[in-house]
Amino acid sequence: MTSQTLRWGIIGPGAIAKDFRRGVLDSRLGKLEAIATRNPGKASLAQDFPEARILDGYDAILKDPNVDAVYIATPHVGHAEWAIKAAEAGKHVLVEKPFALTAFEADAVFHAHRKAGTFAGEAFMYRLHPQTKKIYDLVASGAIGEVRSIKASFGFQMPGFIPDHRLFASALAGGGILDVGGYPVSMARFIAGAAVGKPFLDPVKVSGMANLNAEGTDNWASALLQFETGLIAEVSCAVMANLDNVLRIIGSEGRIEVPDFWFANGDRAGGEGRIDIIKGGKTETITTGKQRHLYSFEADAAAEAIFAGKQQFDSPGMSWADTLDNLRVLDKWRTDAGIEFSVEKSANRKLTLSGRPLKSGGTKVPKRKLAGLGKDLSVVALGFEDFRTFSSGAILLDAFYEAGGNLFDTGWVYGSGYTEKLLGEWLTNRGVREQSVVIGKGAHSPLCYPDVIGKQLTQTLDRLQTDYVDVYFMHRDNLDVPVGEFVDAMDAEVKKGRIRGIFGGSNWTRERFDEAVAYAEKSGKQKPGALSNNFALAEMQDVIWDGCISSSDDAWKEWFLSRQVPNFAWSSQGRGFFTDRAGRDKRDNAELVRVWYSDKNFARRDRAIDLAGKLGKSPIHVALAYVLHQPFPVVPLIGPRTLGELDDSLKALDINLTPEQVKWLEG
């Protein structure tokens, strides 16, 4: 990087790239170095970008040593892929809005840049214009009293519906919500934050709707955002309607109106920025004066952050948290409107988010053998109940598999069946069913009866797009039913080939399990081969949910040691007890207090903190390592929601505890 000059490259030569080019030319700290295109022979390129070297292919700009930062100006569907590849190449990025299609994708991009130590920012150009800071200051100072309502829109009229145009095509993530809906949403959150002295504030409730076209994308759409302060924002966007594009902030003592806000009451070349304060029937107009090119401000703000060694914008620019929360609102808006892009569906998303085929052979997650299973399985199992779309869940599933993980935990009741459906789509799409070990669970209360097992397993296999599970657990026990009837039902599924490994009980007592084994031995049926009970360094003082069984005390450990029954342990890290969420003086989380708080557990937590400090890890890593280093087989079930949480959980696999350390942790 040259001294105080940031050398920019642009990926994609479309209209927005031309605007950014003019912004860089008008910036104080930037220089346009190169543009990457898939059609370098196009005659107009030299005219549109006369200062830049024309590079053949997007990869070329990531390899170019004379490019410091990349502006990603591809259609929406390419934003996450090329931002991740830029991080891998050590390049800073400014990504045209939307930063990614969803908050899940954006989180994956930020994860890549966090690891690379590079800058990543979302290019909402209006946020860096002086007009935006002025509006923030006016609201924060109480210029119109208490802010009660915000009305913001960004909409324009296309000449007609063009199915394959980027603004309409489902394959290109078209529609107004993603293209321009982020502007009024981000502004509403920004003003709501100004009203309480924060960089932004997120709504507690979002209700959205849209008019859809034949592509299933939105022609025009509106949403209501309700904030904890009582403030309500009405936001609208359109690609097939000329909206007024005026920002209105209504307060208890007046209102602020900002015409043509997104372009500072001008155009991209620069506007004067007009702010009307209307109080008591009088209007006061404030302007910021004629400014340089609208896009020059974001180029300079990115350069300043990069020169300062920062990885994200300072406010009023879009920080990582700001971008993620903004996309979460857009995600909810789209969900309410019934919009899922074709490019997000499993049939069309054959590659990972970085645009590559799924890789096998990872060794970060080791594998082990268990009696009764014909496949090696990873030492931890992945649970993923929180995802509701293939595109979101596949990000985590891909990362776990590429790290070496192949054990997946599902249940008939999880997500009302969607967890199984998601895993089935992923296994089929990625072609890794035979390399994977799938846990199925059924017969959850109140449907805990022998005749339910086969019926639910039929539904499970249909959702999973497979004809067998590798491991099967009854999700609960029903003591009113003789245990032999449950063994008979599961043994029948083994004989049908629908359970091709071990089965057992989740949340079963020792006595019930022993009784089931004795029945199987006497009747010549397959014996239960595993449990799935809670097991952790912290012992439950009260069960989390009705019908649950904790198996962490000394009596259970003696039982496991003598029988060597594998335990697929849920809540193996204490559900936050070994993080900063817990503490002797922290009693705001009722579940943590009820389930985990005891002198014995806090003493164990203290020792985990002490050992973690010596190992350069976190207490939660020590807690998971404790589970993995028992003298009997334990397979922890982990449930990360993000790639950062997954990476953090896997740090426990680097810890090798001695038997003495295990005993010391127990006290």
Side-chain angles (χ1 to χ4, degrees), residues 6 50 84 156 188 225 243 247 284 317 383 447 451 502 504 510 548 567 599 611 614 637 658:
L6 190 70
I84 290 173
F156 54 90
L225 282 55
L243 305 182
L247 169 68
E284 176 189 0
L447 300 176
D451 63 334
I502 52 179
R510 299 187 297 274
C548 289
N567 184 27
D599 290 340
L611 183 56
K614 295 174 181 176
L637 312 178
T658 65

Side-chain angles (χ1 to χ4, degrees), residues 209-279:
M209 61 194 70
N211 172 271
L212 306 185
N213 52 49
E215 278 286 295
T217 61
D218 56 296
N219 292 320
W220 55 87
S222 295
L224 289 177
L225 282 55
Q226 184 175 356
F227 296 84
E228 62 186 3
T229 57
L231 170 64
I232 294 176
E234 303 171 42
V235 296
S236 299
C237 64
V239 295
M240 287 291 281
N242 283 319
L243 305 182
D244 62 8
N245 299 342
V246 175
L247 169 68
R248 295 180 175 87
I249 308 169
I250 295 91
S252 58
E253 299 174 13
R255 70 181 188 274
I256 293 173
E257 292 190 356
V258 188
D260 207 10
F261 174 73
W262 318 116
F263 301 109
N265 199 35
D267 56 25
R268 291 170 177 82
E272 294 188 356
R274 173 177 169 176
I275 304 169
D276 292 332
I277 305 172
I278 304 165
K279 296 174 66 174

Side-chain angles (χ1 to χ4, degrees), residues 408-452:
F408 302 97
D409 177 54
T410 69
W412 183 82
V413 300
Y414 292 163
S416 299
Y418 186 74
T419 302
E420 293 179 331
K421 181 177 182 292
L422 170 58
L423 180 60
E425 290 183 348
W426 182 81
L427 291 169
T428 300
N429 178 292
R430 301 300 194 249
V432 295
R433 173 62 187 98
E434 294 309 310
Q435 294 78 34
S436 301
V437 179
V438 177
I439 302 169
K441 291 194 286 290
H444 192 290
S445 303
L447 300 176
C448 191
Y449 297 96
D451 63 334
V452 169

Side-chain angles (χ1 to χ4, degrees), residues 465-484:
Q465 301 182 40
T466 186
D467 55 2
Y468 73 100
V469 293
D470 300 275
V471 181
Y472 181 83
F473 291 113
M474 281 182 51
H475 216 151
R476 292 288 191 275
D477 194 6
N478 184 347
L479 298 179
D480 294 332
V481 177
V483 74

Side-chain angles (χ1 to χ4, degrees), residues 288-362:
T288 56
K290 183 66 175 178
Q291 301 289 331
R292 50 198 169 102
H293 195 280
L294 188 60
Y295 285 68
S296 68
F297 296 100
E298 65 183 11
D300 277 338
E304 289 169 356
I306 291 167
F307 292 150
K310 298 178 181 179
Q311 290 189 263
Q312 54 189 302
F313 281 125
D314 291 327
S315 184
M318 298 285 286
S319 67
W320 290 2
D322 202 350
T323 285
L324 285 170
D325 290 347
N326 207 61
L327 279 167
R328 290 185 181 109
V329 175
L330 300 185
D331 291 345
K332 178 60 165 57
W333 192 353
R334 275 211 290 144
T335 298
D336 286 354
I339 301 170
E340 182 182 15
F341 301 124
S342 62
V343 71
E344 296 176 298
K345 296 180 179 180
S346 60
N348 301 315
R349 188 160 283 210
K350 300 290 187 180
L351 304 176
T352 66
L353 189 60
S354 61
R356 305 181 180 102
L358 186 70
K359 294 183 295 185
S360 298

Side-chain angles (χ1 to χ4, degrees), residues 350 352 356-367 375-384 393-408 423 426-438 638 640 643 646-647 650 653:
K350 300 290 187 180
T352 66
R356 305 181 180 102
L358 186 70
K359 294 183 295 185
S360 298
T363 58
K364 190 172 184 179
V365 182
K367 291 186 173 63
K375 305 175 188 176
D376 292 351
L377 67 159
S378 50
V379 296
V380 294
L382 180 69
F384 46 96
I395 296 170
L396 190 68
L397 291 166
D398 288 344
F400 181 67
Y401 186 85
E402 291 193 332
N406 73 333
L407 179 59
F408 302 97
L423 180 60
W426 182 81
L427 291 169
T428 300
N429 178 292
R430 301 300 194 249
V432 295
R433 173 62 187 98
E434 294 309 310
Q435 294 78 34
S436 301
V437 179
V438 177
I638 61 173
L643 296 184
L646 174 63
D647 276 4
L650 298 185
L653 306 183

Side-chain angles (χ1 to χ4, degrees), residues 64 97 112 232 235 282 390 415 459 616 646 660:
D64 195 315
K97 54 77 207 161
I232 294 176
V235 296
K282 297 181 179 180
F390 177 82
Q459 289 182 290
L646 174 63
E660 292 74 24

